[in-house]
Amino acid sequence: VSTQSTGLASPLHLFTSVGTTSCLMAFDLASSVVGEKAAPFEDIKDPLGQAFWSAEFGEASAVDWLEFAPKFYKYLNVPLPAENSTNYMQLRVLKLLAAKDEAQKSLVSKKRFNDLLGWFGPLKLPYEQNTGFIATLFGVVSDKLGTGKNCWFHGDVGTEEAEAELQRAEPGSFLVRFSTNPSYPTFFTISRVSRKDGQSNISHIRVKHEMGGNFIVMHTKNREYSSLNEMIRTESSAKLLGLSFPLRSQYQHIFEEQKALSTGYRVDLELEDDDEEEVY
């Protein structure tokens, strides 16, 4: 079903409208953010990240997205992207990963900001729009692989959920997620299905990473890569991990939706006959 698009909202309004609230409910797991009453979080480990937060928000443990986004872009000396601009989807993906809806607000916590900088940072000034923190984060979330061209990054997915998603998948299926081990806050995990002795087996492979450093696949002989994207493409080889079939990410539909909107129409994606239509 296709219907004519009825108009566009401003970048920040888009994330607080009733329509996108229903979209963002699917991403609650992708934002392990604490609320305003959470215990104080210690200093952000990224020096520029700490300097920004301290100067703009003081000792606050969480702030409204509507306040965070324009101040963060201003700190980077980058214009806040307008809808349909080249970097608009970067803003949208940053919001999905950084903020959580609580009490009719979208909050960015100091801890979550610290975590994201650990995974995709550090911040560098002057900011490079093609290689900086936001662009790096976006490049991972939006990257696709395989014949079905699925996004392979799943973000905040726990071990049990990853195993449930992979339970009936064929060998070579995989997803990449944040590590859930609190001892390794900047690490990632590859969850994959392999075949051994005629049996399908689900395993979890740690990817060692420190902020600003390389990515080390800790499996048999450790292998080191300069980016997650390079790691996935190289490890797709059957001689290595054989990462062939990425499971469809919960983020993928926003890129398909954006592609549909760019044509002037909204396409309702993957709706069952008896499903209620979602408005994004």
Side-chain angles (χ1 to χ4, degrees):
V1 180
S2 299
T3 57
Q4 185 71 34
S5 177
T6 58
L8 300 173
S10 65
L12 294 180
H13 177 73
L14 176 67
F15 296 116
T16 57
S17 65
V18 174
T20 50
T21 299
S22 63
C23 174
L24 292 174
M25 288 174 65
F27 294 91
D28 280 347
L29 188 61
S31 305
S32 57
V33 186
V34 295
E36 290 176 314
K37 296 182 180 179
F41 180 74
E42 295 180 0
D43 287 350
I44 294 169
K45 294 178 174 59
D46 183 306
L48 291 180
Q50 173 60 27
F52 160 71
W53 190 279
S54 179
E56 296 293 345
F57 312 123
E59 297 300 318
S61 62
V63 297
D64 196 312
W65 164 256
L66 292 176
E67 182 180 7
F68 174 85
K71 288 185 176 180
F72 186 49
Y73 272 77
K74 183 177 180 181
Y75 180 74
L76 299 178
N77 196 27
V78 176
L80 194 68
E83 191 160 357
N84 287 339
S85 68
T86 303
N87 294 322
Y88 172 71
M89 287 299 290
Q90 292 188 11
L91 175 66
R92 188 172 183 185
V93 169
L94 175 64
K95 200 276 180 178
L96 291 173
L97 285 180
K100 180 181 179 181
D101 287 351
E102 290 190 11
Q104 298 182 334
K105 289 185 178 181
S106 292
L107 299 177
V108 180
S109 76
K110 186 177 182 180
K111 182 182 184 304
R112 183 62 172 188
F113 185 49
N114 174 77
D115 290 344
L116 289 175
L117 290 172
W119 288 315
F120 302 108
L123 290 182
K124 294 181 181 179
L125 295 176
Y127 183 77
E128 293 289 340
Q129 293 209 37
N130 294 326
T131 59
F133 164 70
I134 301 173
T136 299
L137 183 155
F138 175 79
V140 169
V141 174
S142 63
D143 195 29
K144 296 180 180 180
L145 183 74
T147 54
K149 294 299 180 183
N150 283 335
C151 296
W152 44 263
F153 183 73
H154 287 234
D156 289 288
V157 172
T159 301
E160 291 184 2
E161 183 180 354
E163 291 179 352
E165 291 186 20
L166 290 166
Q167 194 66 45
R168 295 178 178 83
E170 62 183 308
S173 299
F174 75 99
L175 59 86
V176 179
R177 56 191 176 90
F178 296 131
S179 172
T180 55
N181 190 326
S183 298
Y184 307 107
T186 58
F187 285 24
F188 295 84
T189 299
I190 301 169
S191 297
R192 65 159 185 162
V193 181
S194 58
R195 183 175 294 279
K196 184 177 182 180
D197 300 327
Q199 300 271 335
S200 291
N201 177 60
I202 298 174
S203 59
H204 307 280
I205 300 163
R206 184 170 294 156
V207 179
K208 183 178 180 181
H209 170 69
E210 301 295 340
M211 183 172 60
N214 287 341
F215 300 82
I216 303 173
V217 178
M218 302 179 71
H219 181 259
T220 315
K221 291 184 177 180
N222 294 348
R223 296 180 291 275
E224 189 168 347
Y225 301 97
S226 61
S227 69
L228 286 173
N229 307 66
E230 178 196 11
M231 177 189 78
I232 292 302
R233 274 157 179 71
T234 305
E235 293 292 335
S236 65
S237 168
K239 295 181 180 179
L240 298 176
L241 294 182
L243 305 179
S244 304
F245 311 113
L247 292 193
R248 180 184 171 88
S249 163
Q250 70 266 34
Y251 307 110
Q252 188 160 333
H253 80 278
I254 70 169
F255 303 108
E256 296 167 339
E257 174 198 345
Q258 182 67 17
K259 183 177 180 180
L261 286 173
S262 69
T263 67
Y265 292 86
R266 188 186 76 241
V267 178
D268 302 322
L269 301 165
E270 294 195 341
L271 292 176
E272 298 294 338
D273 291 340
D274 58 347
D275 281 349
E276 181 179 352
E277 178 181 345
E278 289 186 285
V279 181
Y280 297 116

